[in-house]
């Protein structure tokens, strides 16, 4: 049975979605091995609970994630499938060995990527479609213009952006209506607050926040002795290395005290904090098991009052994290960091 969970609207022109979205990336890639049956069961449990926003990317496992989301949608009860809003990222180029080969935002590439995504997902339209990283050789107007054509043709409903800075957001919004910007935002990744968030708010663009648990680092479940596979993003992420990791986990312990006093979990505090930042923000949680999903959904029942928020900010001040949020080679693709 479907439970009602709160909804939020993505920007002034975007769809109404559940206040928490499910990010499906980790079910296929980047966080080590995952369990396909449990992944599909997690998507079903999310839909059952009233989650309507599913986020994927065509390059997550080179099509694997879209096939998985497609399978989960196909095998879900029709009513739940119809409520689902699927957000898809495209543009990252991968080799058969999983290597990362750059980004392609050319109009003809946009249409090509979309054609394949529709097939893999088994849907007749994509709800929100976005370039994963700015292609420096293609003006954003051209990429967004191509998605706008797909909107006109009925293959896409809304245009989104991902990890771009305020200037690119403005240029994109001058080209076509933009529903949301997907970008990292958490207690320890607050870079959007200076310029990006004021710009999206001025323009009526929503935020779908990813990494709200900093990829598990501030979930309260991550331990320093955890062995990470070589293909796990976190094995290369500066925040998960040596002294940085020790420091960052000490922040989690400070957060744990507050969580214990409130009788909730660390992950719930971290998600509730992002939820508290404004109704224009929809956190995407990367749960890939029903247990983690259930914990994440519990954050919707956590209210942080002024005293709680002050305690959280004292435990984890805005610039408290040690280490950059991406390895150097990936930071250079982030228009949002310029
Ligand atoms: N636009 C972009 O550039 C971009 C980049 C990255 C991600 N994304 C999207 O955002 C989504 C979320 O990102 P993310 O997966 O990095 O974020 P996240 O939610 O910060 O991290 C997910 C990780 O946290 C761990 N975790 C521990 N407790 C959890 C709980 N209660 N609920 C959920 N996860 C818990 C998971 O652990 P386990 O090891 O136990 O599974 C998983 O490894 C992705 O799935 C993807 O769709 C977008």
């Amino acid at each position: 049975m479907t439970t009602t969970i709160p909804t939020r609207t993505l920007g002034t022109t975007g769809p109404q979605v559940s206040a928490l979205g499910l990010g499906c990336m980790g079910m296929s890639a980047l966080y080590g091995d995952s369990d396909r049956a449990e992944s599909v069961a997690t998507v079903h449990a999310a839909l059952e609970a009233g989650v309507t926003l599913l986020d994927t990317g065509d390059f997550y496992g080179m099509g694997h994630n879209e096939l998985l989301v497609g399978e989960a949608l196909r095998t879900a009860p029709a009513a739940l499938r119809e409520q689902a809003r699927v957000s898809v990222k495209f543009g990252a180029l991968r080799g058969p060995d999983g290597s990362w080969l750059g980004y392609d935002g050319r109009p003809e590439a946009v249409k090509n990527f979309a054609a394949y995504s529709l097939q893999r997902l088994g849907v007749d339209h994509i709800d929100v479609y976005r370039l994963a990283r700015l292609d420096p050789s293609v003006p954003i107007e051209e990429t967004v213009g191509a998605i706008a054509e797909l909107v006109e043709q009925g293959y896409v409903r809304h245009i989104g952006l991902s990890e771009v800075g305020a200037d690119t957001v403005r240029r994109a919004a001058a080209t076509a209506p933009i529903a949301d910007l997907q970008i990292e935002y958490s207690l320890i990744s607050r870079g959007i607050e200076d310029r990006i968030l004021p710009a999206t708010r001025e323009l009526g663009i929503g935020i779908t926040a990813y990494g709200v648990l900093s990829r598990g680092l501030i979930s309260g479940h991550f331990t320093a002795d955890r062995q990470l596979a070589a293909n796990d993003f976190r094995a290369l992420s500066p925040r998960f290395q040596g002294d940085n990791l020790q420091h960052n986990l000490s922040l989690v312990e400070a957060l744990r005290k507050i969580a214990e006093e409130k009788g909730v979990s660390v992950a719930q505090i971290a998600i509730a904090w992002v939820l508290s930042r404004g109704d224009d923000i929809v956190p995407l949680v990367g749960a890939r098991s029903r247990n983690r999903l259930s914990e994440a959904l519990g954050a919707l029942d956590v209210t942080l009052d002024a005293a709680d928020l002050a305690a959280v900010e004292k435990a984890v001040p805005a610039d408290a994290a040690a280490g950059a949020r991406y390895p150097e080679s990936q930071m250079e693709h982030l228009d949002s960091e310029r």
Side-chain angles (χ1 to χ4, degrees), residues 17-311:
V17 295
S18 50
L20 266 191
L22 180 65
C24 301
M25 176 183 81
M27 297 175 183
S28 297
L30 292 156
Y31 296 149
D33 292 342
S34 56
D35 177 326
R36 190 180 183 97
E38 182 59 26
S39 296
V40 171
T42 303
V43 176
H44 286 168
L47 295 173
E48 282 282 336
V51 170
T52 59
L53 178 63
L54 303 178
D55 186 71
T56 180
D58 61 10
F59 51 90
Y60 291 159
M62 291 83 80
H64 183 282
N65 203 236
E66 288 183 322
L67 290 167
L68 188 150
V69 170
E71 177 188 332
L73 288 172
R74 202 170 56 248
T75 52
L80 298 181
R81 181 168 61 241
E82 275 152 29
Q83 284 168 25
R85 299 288 171 266
V86 182
S87 150
V88 181
K89 286 180 293 303
F90 67 88
L93 304 175
R94 312 283 312 260
D97 59 354
S99 51
W100 297 87
L101 306 173
Y103 294 91
D104 193 343
R106 292 171 305 138
E108 57 271 44
V110 173
K111 291 170 189 172
N112 175 76
F113 286 130
Y116 284 77
S117 286
L118 290 165
Q119 288 298 322
R120 280 187 294 254
L121 287 163
V123 295
D124 62 7
H125 71 272
I126 292 164
D127 292 287
V128 192
Y129 201 45
R130 69 187 85 241
L131 179 66
R133 295 286 181 273
L134 187 68
D135 176 348
S137 61
V138 178
I140 190 67
E141 290 82 357
E142 288 185 21
T143 306
V144 164
I147 309 177
E149 277 183 45
L150 293 172
V151 172
E152 273 168 34
Q153 294 161 359
Y155 297 118
V156 168
R157 291 277 195 270
H158 301 279
I159 307 172
L161 297 169
S162 171
E163 281 292 356
V164 291
D167 295 342
T168 305
V169 170
R170 287 183 193 285
R171 285 173 54 184
T175 308
I178 304 296
D180 70 312
L181 166 64
Q182 191 175 110
I183 196 159
E184 187 166 357
Y185 189 41
S186 74
L187 270 168
I188 63 167
S189 298
R190 297 181 58 173
I192 71 169
E193 291 174 357
D194 289 344
R195 288 190 64 222
I196 295 174
L197 199 49
T200 55
R201 285 182 169 162
E202 177 196 321
L203 296 164
I205 294 171
I207 295 284
T208 40
Y210 76 81
V212 295
L213 298 176
S214 198
R215 302 164 183 278
L217 178 59
I218 60 167
S219 67
H221 300 294
F222 199 89
T223 54
D225 59 2
R226 180 154 165 184
Q227 297 297 312
L228 298 171
N231 63 355
D232 190 316
F233 168 87
R234 297 168 294 195
L236 298 171
S237 167
R239 290 188 171 169
F240 288 82
Q241 311 306 315
D243 291 347
N244 287 352
L245 178 61
Q246 294 298 343
H247 170 81
N248 294 331
L249 289 177
S250 73
L251 301 173
V252 175
E253 289 319 302
L255 214 48
R256 198 184 301 278
K257 289 202 182 72
I258 301 168
E260 280 171 2
E261 274 165 26
K262 281 190 76 71
V264 301
S265 74
V266 177
Q268 288 170 340
I269 290 272
I271 298 167
W273 181 84
V274 176
L275 281 165
S276 77
R277 300 296 84 197
D279 286 348
D280 55 334
I281 301 176
V282 173
L284 292 173
V285 293
R288 48 191 186 159
S289 66
R290 286 166 285 182
N291 282 344
R292 294 288 195 243
L293 173 73
S294 160
E295 180 186 26
L297 291 175
L300 291 163
D301 299 321
V302 177
T303 307
L304 299 176
D305 64 18
D308 294 328
L309 289 170

